[in-house]
Amino acid sequence: MPTQGRSLPGLGVRAASLAVLAALAVADQASKAWAFDLLPSPHDTHPVLPPIFSLTHSRNPGIFMGIGGSIGQVFTWTSFGMLGVLVWILWTKPLSWPWRLSV
């Protein structure tokens, strides 16, 4: 946990933290794009380690088991808001490396 009297991290530490955050966001979006290219239609299946493991395209139009499909945008915008909070924390708070990694 941060201790009192600690100064803000240097620009290099803050930039490295944000670079890791950006790299993870790009990897997330790239993996989703790859999955949609591999499995373009719902119920398409691609065997990875037959018969043990395969990928199947499925959709959940709601939030939990299809419930709340009409308010999905609320959670999308909430996610963007939380991403903004994470960027703010990483940029402004004096955190140790373990805390930075957990954020």
Side-chain angles (χ1 to χ4, degrees), residues 34 38-39 45-56:
W34 170 78
L38 182 67
L39 305 164
T45 298
H46 178 75
V48 178
L49 293 172
I52 300 168
F53 178 67
S54 63
L55 298 174
T56 302

Side-chain angles (χ1 to χ4, degrees), residues 16-100:
S17 298
L18 293 179
V20 168
L21 182 66
L24 290 172
V26 167
D28 175 60
Q29 292 303 308
S31 67
K32 288 176 184 174
W34 170 78
F36 281 118
D37 285 344
L38 182 67
L39 305 164
S41 300
H43 307 295
D44 284 352
T45 298
H46 178 75
V48 178
L49 293 172
I52 300 168
F53 178 67
S54 63
L55 298 174
T56 302
H57 181 156
S58 64
R59 293 206 176 240
N60 179 9
I63 289 140
F64 174 72
M65 298 180 67
I67 299 170
S70 62
I71 61 169
Q73 290 297 320
V74 171
F75 288 97
T76 299
W77 290 109
T78 301
S79 296
F80 281 120
M82 290 308 299
L83 182 60
V85 169
L86 290 176
V87 169
W88 176 76
I89 288 171
L90 289 173
W91 193 260
T92 62
K93 301 297 179 185
L95 303 172
S96 65
W97 273 107
W99 276 97
R100 283 187 174 279

